[in-house]
DNA sequence: CTCTAATTGAAAATGAATTTCAATTTCCTT
DNA sequence: AAGGAAATTGAAATTCATTTTCAATTAGAG
């Protein structure tokens, strides 16, 4: 059970790496050791990381990867559709793995800073409706809920 | 008709200036010529301005107001509840007048950059619902719709 | 293997926003 | 109305995330 879930995850990661490879070839760009390392760590982390976060993670094992290259690689992942950027209240750009065409929004805890993704079809419908009222053609949206997450609520006496 | 609408607006602005005055006194801060000028221009503009925008507007008439002071005054307005900050896709901080306790969200045109406010009670209910599903206590939210506004859609042949 | 174009890391540059600081101004107290 | 403490100001310096520059290195097509 656990076993199969792990390998399922690995399979997906592998597939994403393939997709990146195609993207690079298509654009006449090169596959490098640095890119492989960064992308690996990014998919392994599987959370909302800043370039700095990821750089620190990688630096523990590989002293020779530059922060600049991390920035550049995350940008590349975004362009290839394998990651998305989000900016929350702290104004840092965070990157998150993106599988195919999913759209999700975020719950952000004001206490611990944890970020949870959610998906809700009602938002999509609401979006259409509101846009319609203004004669607006909707392309994309962004919704963020700030508050206190389950864990913080339970731990805190004075929330 | 038009006459009364204008003076209604002026009355509201006046009231806001009074509120700022109270806030300043309460906090032991001072009413200065610069603050008056900046606040005036801000309420008169009545759109989503960056500190820079407002600075340029003011500089046309008053060469002696510093950008720093504009930043500081906008921050003050935010603290006193008379303005709110929003950050959209271009990552600039914009300020907008806030009357009492209204919450609104934004439609942002990807072509002309215009920003339209909207209010929708369904979003509030949806927020509660989603938060509930995650055991999350909602405090505030942010919703942005990006797309093409009515005017841009009409003008464009190829949108 | 060679050659060209892409990539790299370090350092410099950028740009919005904030902080510092000496000079000025406000406004409370007499 | 005058004095003086504390707040405010504008300019310049600083911060901090991110981007750009550049000389040296590397990938990979031919």
């Amino acid at each position: 059970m656990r076993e199969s879930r792990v390998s399922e995850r690995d399979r997906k990661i592998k597939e994403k790496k393939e997709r990146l490879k195609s993207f690079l070839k298509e654009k006449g760009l090169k596959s490098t050791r640095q890119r492989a390392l960064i992308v690996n760590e990014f998919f392994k982390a599987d959370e909302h990381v800043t370039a700095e976060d990821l750089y620190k993670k990688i630096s523990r094992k590989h002293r020779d990867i530059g922060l600049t290259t991390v920035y550049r690689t995350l940008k590349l992942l975004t362009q290839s559709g394998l990651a998305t950027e989000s900016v929350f209240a702290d104004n840092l750009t965070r990157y998150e793995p993106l599988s195919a065409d999913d759209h999700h929004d975020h719950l952000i805890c004001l206490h611990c800073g944890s970020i949870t993704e959610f998906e809700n079809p009602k938002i999509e419908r609401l979006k259409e409706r509101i846009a319609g009222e203004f004669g607006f053609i909707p392309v994309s949206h962004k919704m963020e809920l700030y508050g206190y997450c389950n864990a913080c609520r339970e731990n805190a006496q004075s929330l």
Side-chain angles (χ1 to χ4, degrees), chain A:
Chain A
M1 194 73 173
R2 160 124 6 137
E3 195 75 25
S4 77
R5 217 186 284 149
V6 167
S7 60
E8 168 68 3
R9 205 176 89 100
D10 288 351
R11 201 188 50 69
K12 281 188 180 169
I13 292 181
K14 206 168 197 173
E15 193 237 306
K16 286 180 188 176
K17 288 196 235 169
E18 282 310 318
R19 280 216 277 149
L20 179 63
K21 216 173 191 173
S22 315
F23 174 82
L24 292 175
K25 186 167 283 178
E26 195 180 300
K27 297 269 177 183
L29 306 176
K30 293 171 180 171
S31 297
T32 64
R33 186 180 59 90
Q34 291 91 330
R35 284 179 181 166
L37 276 166
I38 294 167
V39 166
N40 239 339
E41 203 66 38
F42 175 65
F43 287 132
K44 226 168 55 190
D46 199 27
E47 42 175 343
H48 301 72
V49 292
T50 64
E52 191 79 37
D53 289 343
L54 195 55
Y55 171 67
K56 278 182 190 151
K57 264 179 219 264
I58 293 167
S59 295
R60 291 208 208 84
K61 299 208 164 184
H62 306 275
R63 213 63 48 70
D64 60 334
I65 304 283
L67 174 57
T68 311
T69 304
V70 175
Y71 270 105
R72 286 191 278 226
T73 304
L74 287 172
K75 200 115 269 179
L76 222 48
L77 281 167
T78 304
Q79 285 161 17
S80 69
L82 291 164
T84 30
E85 300 181 335
S86 342
V87 181
F88 304 116
D90 64 4
N91 247 40
L92 299 180
T93 302
R94 264 165 245 276
Y95 293 83
E96 45 195 299
L98 186 69
S99 18
D101 53 329
D102 75 324
H103 178 78
H104 60 259
D105 295 286
H106 297 100
L107 293 158
I108 299 122
C109 180
L110 294 167
H111 187 249
C112 71
S114 72
I115 298 164
T116 309
E117 297 177 0
F118 70 88
E119 226 185 313
N120 193 308
K122 287 202 170 139
I123 291 180
E124 302 299 326
R125 261 177 280 145
L126 196 52
K127 172 166 77 175
E128 298 294 336
R129 161 105 58 111
I130 292 166
E133 280 174 27
F134 288 86
F136 197 89
I137 303 173
V139 171
S140 65
H141 79 267
K142 187 172 158 177
M143 176 152 189
E144 291 154 26
L145 261 66
Y146 293 89
Y148 296 101
C149 75
N150 207 16
C152 286
R153 181 172 56 122
E154 282 172 359
N155 294 337
Q157 28 270 82
S158 61
L159 255 160

